[in-house]
Amino acid sequence: MTQSPLIRLAAFLSVATILNAAARAGEVASPPGGLQGSVRTSDGRALAGVAVELCGPRAAPVRLTSGPDGLFEARGLAAGEYQARVDVPGLVLLSPARATVGHGEGRLDLVLAPAPVREQVVVSATRGEATLSSLGVASDVLDRERIEERDATELLSLLQEVPGVATSRTGGTGLQGSAFIRGGEARYARVLVDGVPVNQPGGSFDFGTVLPFELERVEVVRGAASSLYGSDALAGVVSLTTRQATPGEPLSLRAEAEGGSLGWQRYSGASAGSRGPFDWNAGLQRLATDNAQPNSHFEQTAIALSSGWRFDEATRGRLVARFEDGSVGTPGQTAFGRPDLDASFDRRDALVSASLRRAGTRLSQQLSLGWAETRQLSFDPLDSGPFVPSWNGTTADPIPDFPDPAGFQNQTARAQASYQGDLTLGSRHLLTAGAEGERETGAIGERAQPLLQPHRTNLGLYLQDRFLLGRRAYLTAGGRVERNGSYGTRAVPRLALALRLRGGENATTLRSSAGLGIKEPSFLESYGVYSYAKGNPDLKPERSATFDLGLEQRLFGSRLRASVTAFRHDYRDQIAYTLVDPASFQGTYVNLAHTRSRGVEVELEARPLSALRVLGQYTYQDGAILESPSAFDPIYAVGRPLLRRPAHQASFSAAYDFPRGSLGATVVYVGERADSDFVGLGLTTNAAYARLDARARLQLLGPLEAVLAADNLTGARYQEVLGYPAPGRTVRAGLRLLAGGGR
């Protein structure tokens, strides 16, 4: 362990040295006839990996791809006029695409404006900005426009509308929530906030208290991404980015006040802007709601800050900080009996991210530091007496309350340092290489007893090549070597292909990806010392093998985009709890479980009118348990469907803008799914449900706007998790002040 910092530093320096040497080896004296430029969207986002074709005096066009930060360079060009062509579905060339090459360096900057159905730029799929049409990886981006229009009360409502993602909550806002990507367990997705992993060691993450507060974008990558991110990314990645001001953005102020059903009160304020080389976005929010159930009151205070500094044209730094402090009552399964009126859950999350990036025409380098900590405390101070579950005339055996006045603590932290270099090799290769070091620590257990204080150090090296084959085939190949403090060294690869069968406004793109994933054990699974749960230091990593094949079609001048994707995910060596001695209830953890998930995802996006946007998705998923260590609980028997992952799920949204406001509505359907009451009632199926949400905005005077939103408008009665009633019809109304340039 004493060598870990030295090993980490050596890895960083080795990768940086190799990339710098490669960049210098590719630099030659600039001959007459050079041309430099960039490819960017109209809102300033760099587009790396875009195929650029230069047509000039020579008979054959010069083909190259944009590199780091969207920059490209062509050398040895004959003198004359050149015209650039790019083919990016969902983006159209806005700027003049002609440049004259003489005996010096010419300049040609290409600006692409969105088509009616725009092309999205995703970062988390390749750890660098890339257009979705050039990636074979299945990804979705929820941008700021979508987040603001949807006006969801929590992040889970947004994720529920992403194909391949199933969600569940134990009640209303703030209560425990999970997200399952393509049949994987809730702990099988890497969750990043501004590039920093926020999963607890071992992958667990509670989405219940995560609100769409000051978010610039949400990215969801489906398929194993351990080739880039190492542990946790068995099924995919969920990446959240804090809102930030754009260069040159004038000062803006935002303020909101909202009230409504279930004691809903939300107040927030924010400021954004830039001055010279400095930009900032800062926000503060306070939320409280009683969730309509006894002892379900949730309150949270959140702060978000993103600030950047441009040192020169090539070098910029960014600092991001987020803090959330909340508390919620936990009444238990109130659908089956009396609530627990004294139990509660406190959670405090803090995150800091700092990065320094220097971009060149051929080589871009970034050094990042990140730290994330969660402090969670569960209380049950009083003995509320036995709980007698009952449902539709069926009664189970009484379950005693287990009071814990001191509380159960789950405090974990992850500190990370990373280096990444992006290098253009030749005219068709964009190479990404990086090194990461991570330190995980914890203080876990019943506070009345000595706490378990584990720690673990992980190191990783990754390499990825994105290159253009011919004119319209984009291949991404990469892999990672991971040295984990629990299970040792593993290597994981990934391969993805995007093939443009037809270009232009009505483009057709075929895509496919395959990869392997790994996940480390949790602290309790590796290091637990409790009599009922002994840790197993010999656990292997949980593994996945994923594959998908999809087709995307654009029609009517990119006013319609439709895609269909077939997938299969296998999850092996899954860690499960097993009893060693049933008489004394002693147990441990073993690598015994094996599940698989296969299905089809359908996605639709259309803009039949410039003011009307329509979104739809449907997911069919066939998940099953193939091997199970459980000989007692039939819900985990071999052949059973996967818990809380429906076979059918769909959503449909429409939003219409008019001169002084907007209207929007979303319908979500979740089909019947396997579940368990876990209290002896024998329930193993949860019924399907449909929910309708609606919202409206109206500009009143100047920058003042009125907002009205209704969730579950039809008052549907359902349970996302058996025993936990979902909120009924709720209405929220408020005022928003949007003043200045950031409106």
Side-chain angles (χ1 to χ4, degrees), residues 531-534 575-580 585-590 629-630:
S531 59
Y532 57 87
K534 293 286 187 181
I575 297 172
Y577 177 81
T578 184
L579 285 175
V580 176
F585 295 100
Q586 292 184 0
T588 187
Y589 300 94
V590 291
S630 176

Side-chain angles (χ1 to χ4, degrees), residues 129-210:
E129 293 179 322
T131 57
L132 280 176
S133 62
S134 66
L135 300 176
V137 180
S139 305
D140 275 272
V141 178
L142 309 178
D143 57 17
R144 185 195 300 185
E145 178 186 1
R146 173 82 180 279
I147 295 170
E148 292 182 347
E149 188 281 322
R150 181 61 179 84
D151 199 18
T153 55
E154 64 282 310
L155 179 65
L156 277 179
S157 294
L158 290 168
L159 295 179
Q160 195 174 36
E161 298 167 30
V162 175
V165 180
T167 66
S168 66
R169 290 183 304 170
T170 58
T173 303
L175 290 157
Q176 198 276 333
S178 302
F180 310 90
I181 298 180
R182 286 185 172 174
E185 299 292 331
R187 63 186 188 276
Y188 283 4
R190 181 83 155 180
V191 183
L192 304 169
V193 177
D194 295 289
V196 180
V198 294
N199 305 74
Q200 294 183 49
S204 297
F205 185 77
D206 180 3
F207 282 95
T209 64
V210 182

Side-chain angles (χ1 to χ4, degrees), residues 7 10 46 48 50 157 197 206 208 300 310 312 372 386 400 413 437 454 475 490 503 531 632 667:
I7 296 174
V50 171
S157 294
D206 180 3
Q300 184 189 81
R310 184 174 291 274
D312 53 43
L475 186 64
R490 295 291 190 280
S531 59
F632 307 102
V667 178

Side-chain angles (χ1 to χ4, degrees), residues 136-137 223-224 227 476 478 493-497 512-516 545-549:
V137 180
S227 63
T476 303
R494 184 178 68 171
L495 187 68
L497 174 68
S512 180
S513 69
L516 301 181
T546 70
F547 171 78
D548 59 47
L549 177 66

